[in-house]
Protein backbone atom coordinates (compact mmCIF):
# COMPACT_ATOMS: atom_id res chain seq x y z
CA UNK A 1 0.00 0.00 0.00
CA UNK A 2 -0.79 2.58 -1.28
CA UNK A 3 0.44 1.65 -4.77
CA UNK A 4 -2.21 -0.87 -5.94
CA UNK A 5 -5.02 1.52 -4.99
CA UNK A 6 -3.34 4.53 -6.58
CA UNK A 7 -2.53 2.63 -9.76
CA UNK A 8 -6.22 1.71 -10.01
CA UNK A 9 -7.21 5.36 -9.47
CA UNK A 10 -5.51 6.65 -12.62
CA UNK A 11 -7.82 9.52 -13.62
CA UNK A 12 -7.84 9.00 -17.40
CA UNK A 13 -9.77 6.02 -18.72
CA UNK A 14 -10.08 4.77 -22.28
CA UNK A 15 -12.40 7.12 -24.15
CA UNK A 16 -11.74 10.15 -21.89
CA UNK A 17 -10.45 13.44 -23.27
CA UNK A 18 -6.70 13.73 -22.72
CA UNK A 19 -6.38 16.23 -19.88
CA UNK A 20 -2.71 17.07 -19.32
CA UNK A 21 -3.39 18.79 -15.98
CA UNK A 22 -5.08 15.71 -14.49
CA UNK A 23 -2.26 13.54 -15.82
CA UNK A 24 0.48 15.68 -14.23
CA UNK A 25 -1.46 16.06 -10.96
CA UNK A 26 -1.79 12.28 -10.72
CA UNK A 27 1.93 11.76 -11.28
CA UNK A 28 2.84 14.35 -8.64
CA UNK A 29 0.43 12.78 -6.15
CA UNK A 30 1.79 9.30 -6.84
CA UNK A 31 5.35 10.48 -6.21
CA UNK A 32 4.39 12.36 -3.03
CA UNK A 33 2.53 9.35 -1.61
CA UNK A 34 5.50 7.13 -2.37
CA UNK A 35 7.96 9.41 -0.61
CA UNK A 36 5.63 9.71 2.40
CA UNK A 37 5.54 5.91 2.58
CA UNK A 38 9.32 5.74 2.94
CA UNK A 39 10.30 5.23 -0.71
CA UNK A 40 12.56 8.26 -0.86
CA UNK A 41 14.20 7.34 -4.19
CA UNK A 42 10.90 6.71 -5.98
CA UNK A 43 10.64 7.97 -9.56
CA UNK A 44 8.99 7.39 -12.90
CA UNK A 45 11.52 5.64 -15.12
CA UNK A 46 9.12 5.87 -18.07
CA UNK A 47 6.55 8.62 -18.58
CA UNK A 48 5.37 8.73 -22.17
CA UNK A 49 2.29 9.92 -24.09
CA UNK A 50 2.35 8.56 -27.64
CA UNK A 51 0.03 10.41 -30.02
CA UNK A 52 -1.79 8.66 -32.87
CA UNK A 53 -3.13 11.75 -34.58
CA UNK A 54 -4.89 10.04 -37.43
CA UNK A 55 -7.03 8.17 -34.87
CA UNK A 56 -7.24 10.99 -32.29
CA UNK A 57 -5.80 8.61 -29.70
CA UNK A 58 -3.10 9.05 -27.07
CA UNK A 59 -1.46 5.98 -25.54
CA UNK A 60 0.00 6.49 -22.06
CA UNK A 61 2.81 4.41 -20.62
CA UNK A 62 4.00 4.88 -17.03
CA UNK A 63 6.63 2.80 -15.30
CA UNK A 64 7.30 3.61 -11.65
CA UNK A 65 10.33 2.41 -9.70
CA UNK A 66 9.87 2.76 -5.92
CA UNK A 67 13.45 1.88 -5.06
CA UNK A 68 14.12 0.58 -1.52
CA UNK A 69 12.02 1.51 1.48
CA UNK A 70 13.70 3.67 4.12
CA UNK A 71 13.23 3.65 7.89
CA UNK A 72 13.63 6.07 10.76
CA UNK A 73 17.14 6.03 12.21
CA UNK A 74 18.49 7.51 15.45
CA UNK A 75 17.14 10.85 16.70
CA UNK A 76 19.48 13.52 18.09
CA UNK A 77 18.78 16.92 19.65
CA UNK A 78 20.95 20.03 19.78
CA UNK A 79 19.54 21.37 23.07
CA UNK A 80 21.32 20.94 26.38
CA UNK A 81 18.74 22.80 28.47
CA UNK A 82 16.23 19.92 28.55
CA UNK A 83 16.92 16.22 29.08
CA UNK A 84 16.60 14.12 25.90
CA UNK A 85 14.05 11.91 27.67
CA UNK A 86 11.65 14.85 27.94
CA UNK A 87 11.88 15.54 24.21
CA UNK A 88 11.65 11.86 23.23
CA UNK A 89 8.28 11.68 24.99
CA UNK A 90 6.90 13.71 22.04
CA UNK A 91 8.14 11.28 19.37
CA UNK A 92 5.46 9.95 17.02
CA UNK A 93 7.73 7.14 15.73
CA UNK A 94 10.60 4.97 16.87
CA UNK A 95 13.82 3.97 15.09
CA UNK A 96 13.06 1.11 12.73
CA UNK A 97 9.58 2.34 11.77
CA UNK A 98 9.03 3.00 8.03
CA UNK A 99 10.02 6.58 7.27
CA UNK A 100 7.04 8.89 6.77
CA UNK A 101 7.28 12.65 6.40
CA UNK A 102 3.80 13.01 7.90
CA UNK A 103 4.93 11.42 11.17
CA UNK A 104 8.10 13.53 11.20
CA UNK A 105 6.02 16.70 10.83
CA UNK A 106 3.60 15.50 13.53
CA UNK A 107 6.55 15.08 15.92
CA UNK A 108 7.89 18.52 15.03
CA UNK A 109 4.48 20.06 15.67
CA UNK A 110 4.03 18.22 18.98
CA UNK A 111 7.45 19.27 20.30
CA UNK A 112 6.83 22.80 19.03
CA UNK A 113 3.74 22.93 21.23
CA UNK A 114 5.83 22.24 24.34
CA UNK A 115 6.65 25.32 26.45
CA UNK A 116 10.42 24.86 26.28
CA UNK A 117 11.30 25.98 22.76
CA UNK A 118 10.57 28.94 20.48
CA UNK A 119 11.61 27.05 17.35
CA UNK A 120 11.66 23.35 16.48
CA UNK A 121 12.98 21.95 13.20
CA UNK A 122 13.16 18.17 12.72
CA UNK A 123 15.46 17.40 9.78
CA UNK A 124 15.81 14.10 7.93
CA UNK A 125 19.54 13.80 7.23
CA UNK A 126 19.53 11.96 3.92
CA UNK A 127 23.25 12.63 3.39
CA UNK A 128 24.05 10.77 6.63
CA UNK A 129 21.92 7.72 5.85
CA UNK A 130 23.52 4.39 6.69
CA UNK A 131 21.92 1.56 4.79
CA UNK A 132 18.21 2.37 4.76
CA UNK A 133 18.07 4.14 8.14
CA UNK A 134 17.58 7.92 7.97
CA UNK A 135 18.95 9.82 11.00
CA UNK A 136 16.79 12.63 12.37
CA UNK A 137 18.37 15.74 13.89
CA UNK A 138 16.25 18.25 15.77
CA UNK A 139 17.35 21.90 15.76
CA UNK A 140 15.98 23.80 18.76
CA UNK A 141 15.89 27.37 20.03
CA UNK A 142 15.13 27.78 23.72
CA UNK A 143 12.34 30.03 24.90
CA UNK A 144 13.04 32.40 27.74
CA UNK A 145 12.88 30.31 30.92
CA UNK A 146 10.68 32.82 32.77
CA UNK A 147 7.78 35.08 31.87
CA UNK A 148 6.08 37.64 34.11
CA UNK A 149 2.90 39.58 33.51
CA UNK A 150 1.42 42.44 35.53
CA UNK A 151 -1.95 43.96 34.70
CA UNK A 152 -4.26 46.55 36.26
CA UNK A 153 -7.81 47.60 35.56
CA UNK A 154 -11.08 48.81 36.94
CA UNK A 155 -14.52 47.23 36.92
CA UNK A 156 -17.82 48.63 38.16
CA UNK A 157 -18.46 45.37 40.04
CA UNK A 158 -14.94 44.82 41.36
CA UNK A 159 -13.42 48.26 41.63
CA UNK A 160 -9.65 48.46 41.03
CA UNK A 161 -8.05 45.10 40.23
CA UNK A 162 -4.54 43.79 39.75
CA UNK A 163 -3.30 40.67 37.98
CA UNK A 164 0.05 39.03 38.67
CA UNK A 165 1.10 36.14 36.46
CA UNK A 166 4.37 34.19 36.64
CA UNK A 167 5.48 31.33 34.40
CA UNK A 168 8.68 29.35 34.95
CA UNK A 169 8.93 27.27 31.80
CA UNK A 170 12.09 25.37 32.60
CA UNK A 171 13.07 24.87 36.24
CA UNK A 172 15.57 22.08 35.53
CA UNK A 173 16.75 19.71 32.77
CA UNK A 174 13.96 17.26 33.68
CA UNK A 175 11.45 19.77 32.27
CA UNK A 176 9.74 20.73 35.52
CA UNK A 177 7.70 23.92 35.15
CA UNK A 178 5.57 26.18 37.33
CA UNK A 179 2.71 28.59 36.64
CA UNK A 180 1.23 30.90 39.28
CA UNK A 181 -1.53 33.49 39.01
CA UNK A 182 -2.96 36.03 41.48
CA UNK A 183 -6.06 38.18 40.94
CA UNK A 184 -6.70 40.92 43.49
CA UNK A 185 -9.65 43.32 43.64
CA UNK A 186 -11.75 45.04 46.29
CA UNK A 187 -14.20 42.15 46.36
CA UNK A 188 -12.14 39.14 45.37
CA UNK A 189 -8.79 37.46 45.90
CA UNK A 190 -7.99 34.41 43.81
CA UNK A 191 -4.75 32.45 43.71
CA UNK A 192 -3.86 29.51 41.48
CA UNK A 193 -0.66 27.54 41.11
CA UNK A 194 0.43 24.60 38.99
CA UNK A 195 3.63 22.56 39.15
CA UNK A 196 4.15 20.15 36.25
CA UNK A 197 6.55 17.17 36.30
CA UNK A 198 6.85 15.39 32.92
CA UNK A 199 6.69 11.62 32.94
CA UNK A 200 10.10 10.27 31.89
Amino acid sequence: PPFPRMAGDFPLKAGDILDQRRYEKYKAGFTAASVDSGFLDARFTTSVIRMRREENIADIQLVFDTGPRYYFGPVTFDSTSVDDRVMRAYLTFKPGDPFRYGRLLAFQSALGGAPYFSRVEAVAQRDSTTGRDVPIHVNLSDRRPRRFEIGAGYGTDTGPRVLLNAEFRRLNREGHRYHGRINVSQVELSVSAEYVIPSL
Side-chain angles (χ1 to χ4, degrees), residues 140-159:
L140 300 159
S141 297
D142 292 338
R143 295 178 74 182
R144 293 181 179 178
R146 294 174 293 276
R147 184 179 73 90
F148 300 98
E149 178 186 7
I150 301 175
Y154 182 88
T156 56
D157 296 333
T158 62

Side-chain angles (χ1 to χ4, degrees), residues 100-149:
R100 297 182 66 94
Y101 274 110
R103 295 178 70 180
L104 183 62
L105 291 175
F107 162 63
Q108 178 176 285
S109 177
L111 187 56
Y116 312 113
F117 309 108
S118 61
R119 182 183 66 90
V120 175
E121 182 186 23
V123 181
Q125 298 184 301
R126 287 292 309 279
D127 294 341
S128 302
T129 299
T130 42
R132 298 184 188 178
D133 294 334
V134 181
I136 306 299
H137 184 70
V138 186
N139 300 309
L140 300 159
S141 297
D142 292 338
R143 295 178 74 182
R144 293 181 179 178
R146 294 174 293 276
R147 184 179 73 90
F148 300 98
E149 178 186 7

Side-chain angles (χ1 to χ4, degrees), residues 13 20 22 27 42 52 54 69 82 113 132 135 139 167:
K13 310 301 181 186
Q20 189 79 16
R22 293 171 66 191
K27 286 174 58 184
R52 290 189 275 156
E54 67 283 358
R69 191 173 204 176
V82 179
R132 298 184 188 178
N139 300 309
E167 184 179 5

Side-chain angles (χ1 to χ4, degrees), residues 49-69:
I49 300 178
R50 294 185 177 89
M51 311 297 292
R52 290 189 275 156
R53 294 184 182 277
E54 67 283 358
E55 302 175 64
N56 289 333
I57 289 176
D59 294 322
I60 296 173
Q61 182 183 18
L62 294 174
V63 178
F64 192 75
D65 180 9
T66 65
R69 191 173 204 176

